[in-house]
Amino acid sequence: MSIKRKLGIAAVFTGAAVGTMHVINRIFHYISTADNLLDSDAYKYYDWRFGKIAYKKSGSGNPILLIHDLNVCSSLYEWNKVEKELSKTYTVYSIDLLGCGCSDRPILTYTNYLYVQMIADFIKHIIGRKTDVIVSGESSSFVLMACSNDDSVIDRVVMINPPDMINLAKIPTKRFKLVKYLLYTPVIGTFIYNMKINRRTISQEFSSSYYYDQNEIDEKDILAFREASQKKKTHSKFLYASKVSRFTNTNVICCMDKLTNSIFIITGNGNPENILSANQYQNYLPSIEIMGIDKAKKMPHMEKPDEFVDQVKILLSEES
């Protein structure tokens, strides 16, 4: 068989494979977004320089900004079980981070400092005054960096299960940069993303990491998280690529001694690693107060919303 014929056959098989992946990607997107659980028409939008930021505002009183975990599956939906109760006492703002939920997903490299800028600009232009912040998971890092960068925008901070400081300080390597470029490719990158982020993997995260009691898991929450990962033509893959390649990481240790904010940590005590990570932050800043919620893991605000709200009211009333 001639080389030209071999190349022709290889091209046909390659084209067929890419075409199949494209069809699978379209099916994933259609199935995931069909229920429209995250109704973009129900949100307000802040026209930020890198894209529109979806947010909600409710209640009255001193402002609180709710920031979900830096995760392509997360969105302001993460707060739907506590938002109403908090709005009885506070003016509650909840946002979809750039690359998440109903916010825009520009094709760029997502970095920690990008979100530092986003949070500071949102507070200055939309809230208009210094505000308390409740932040979940990996988003805690850029809230701390925002506090260090400008002490005029954020008052008190409540972090929910902040990430391990050592892992957070790891930087991109050549291998991880290659992974990022691969995930940015139009069809193959999207296909890899869909193999990593889908209903099965999200369900596993709920069972193993998010919730302590699997009987408390609501199927609607899984579907909402799946939809968030597929909104806007699956362009959340760009944030995902930046995350797995460590571009959203930062060394928060360097900013801890500069912080003058009152900082609290709420842990899900069902996972001992959450307590160990919280202790790391307290070791660097002894003024940090830690409170735990038993029989909860990564998402105590979803699994134990009433207990979570009670904790927040205690923490934020101490200095008011």
Side-chain angles (χ1 to χ4, degrees):
M1 185 181 293
S2 67
I3 293 178
K4 184 180 291 187
R5 182 171 175 78
K6 289 179 180 178
L7 291 174
I9 293 173
V12 170
F13 277 107
T14 301
V18 172
T20 301
M21 285 188 282
H22 176 69
V23 171
I24 292 173
N25 291 338
R26 294 292 296 272
I27 292 172
F28 263 94
H29 179 265
Y30 175 78
I31 293 175
S32 299
T33 58
D35 294 330
N36 196 31
L37 296 172
L38 308 178
D39 183 7
S40 57
D41 293 335
Y43 301 159
K44 299 176 182 291
Y45 288 88
Y46 165 47
D47 196 8
W48 191 45
R49 53 186 138 165
F50 291 110
K52 291 184 178 180
I53 307 300
Y55 72 97
K56 284 186 176 181
K57 177 185 177 182
S58 60
S60 60
N62 291 330
I64 286 184
L65 176 60
L66 307 180
I67 304 175
H68 63 79
D69 188 18
L70 186 58
N71 186 321
V72 293
C73 300
S74 291
S75 66
L76 60 80
Y77 178 90
E78 192 177 307
W79 306 103
N80 73 329
K81 296 179 182 179
V82 301
E83 198 169 17
K84 183 177 180 181
E85 188 62 31
L86 288 173
S87 67
K88 293 178 181 178
T89 311
Y90 307 98
T91 301
V92 178
Y93 295 84
S94 55
I95 61 173
D96 282 340
L97 296 172
L98 194 74
C100 301
C102 292
S103 290
D104 283 348
R105 293 159 165 76
I107 303 173
L108 48 74
T109 298
Y110 292 78
T111 65
N112 193 277
Y113 190 63
L114 176 76
Y115 291 108
V116 171
Q117 293 177 295
M118 191 200 102
I119 294 304
D121 288 346
F122 182 86
I123 293 173
K124 290 175 181 177
H125 299 151
I126 300 299
I127 299 179
R129 56 177 287 193
K130 199 170 186 178
T131 185
D132 295 331
V133 172
I134 303 176
V135 57
S136 173
E138 292 186 36
S139 297
S140 301
S141 62
F142 59 76
V143 170
L144 293 180
M145 296 299 287
C147 291
S148 174
N149 189 57
D150 185 349
D151 61 7
S152 69
V153 293
I154 296 175
D155 192 2
R156 296 171 293 185
V157 178
V158 178
M159 300 188 294
I160 306 167
N161 294 320
D164 177 87
M165 282 183 162
I166 297 173
N167 290 331
L168 191 59
K170 294 179 179 178
I171 63 174
T173 63
K174 289 182 179 180
R175 181 168 66 88
F176 283 108
K177 290 177 181 178
L178 180 61
V179 170
K180 173 177 172 287
Y181 293 138
L182 179 61
L183 285 166
Y184 269 51
T185 57
V187 177
I188 297 174
T190 305
F191 182 77
I192 295 172
Y193 171 80
N194 285 331
M195 294 300 102
K196 294 290 186 179
I197 306 295
N198 52 61
R199 181 171 180 168
R200 178 182 58 81
T201 59
I202 294 169
S203 296
Q204 288 175 345
E205 281 292 295
F206 268 87
S207 299
S208 63
S209 302
Y210 292 174
Y211 275 52
Y212 178 87
D213 185 354
Q214 296 188 23
N215 294 322
E216 294 294 324
I217 298 174
D218 189 337
E219 182 68 16
K220 182 181 177 181
D221 295 342
I222 294 174
L223 296 178
F225 273 53
R226 182 183 68 171
E227 182 176 320
S229 72
Q230 289 284 336
K231 295 286 277 188
K232 307 272 186 174
K233 299 180 180 179
T234 322
H235 279 191
S236 281
K237 74 170 186 177
F238 302 116
L239 170 57
Y240 177 79
S242 296
K243 269 178 55 62
V244 299
S245 303
R246 300 176 177 173
F247 283 92
T248 58
N249 282 4
T250 191
N251 185 359
V252 296
I253 296 173
C254 65
C255 80
M256 295 298 287
D257 60 348
K258 303 176 185 177
L259 300 177
T260 58
N261 309 71
S262 294
I263 299 174
F264 311 98
I265 296 177
I266 295 178
T267 61
N269 289 347
N271 186 348
E273 292 181 1
N274 295 336
I275 302 172
L276 293 174
S277 294
N279 288 335
Q280 287 179 335
Y281 291 81
Q282 193 178 57
N283 289 339
Y284 281 96
L285 193 62
S287 62
I288 290 177
E289 183 176 344
I290 301 173
M291 297 184 72
I293 296 180
D294 293 331
K295 295 184 178 180
K297 287 189 175 181
K298 186 174 182 178
M299 297 290 186
H301 47 304
M302 294 182 69
E303 186 173 10
K304 296 287 187 70
D306 294 337
E307 191 171 341
F308 174 81
V309 170
D310 289 342
Q311 297 266 29
V312 167
K313 288 181 177 178
I314 291 171
L315 294 173
L316 297 185
S317 66
E318 289 182 349
E319 298 182 4
S320 42

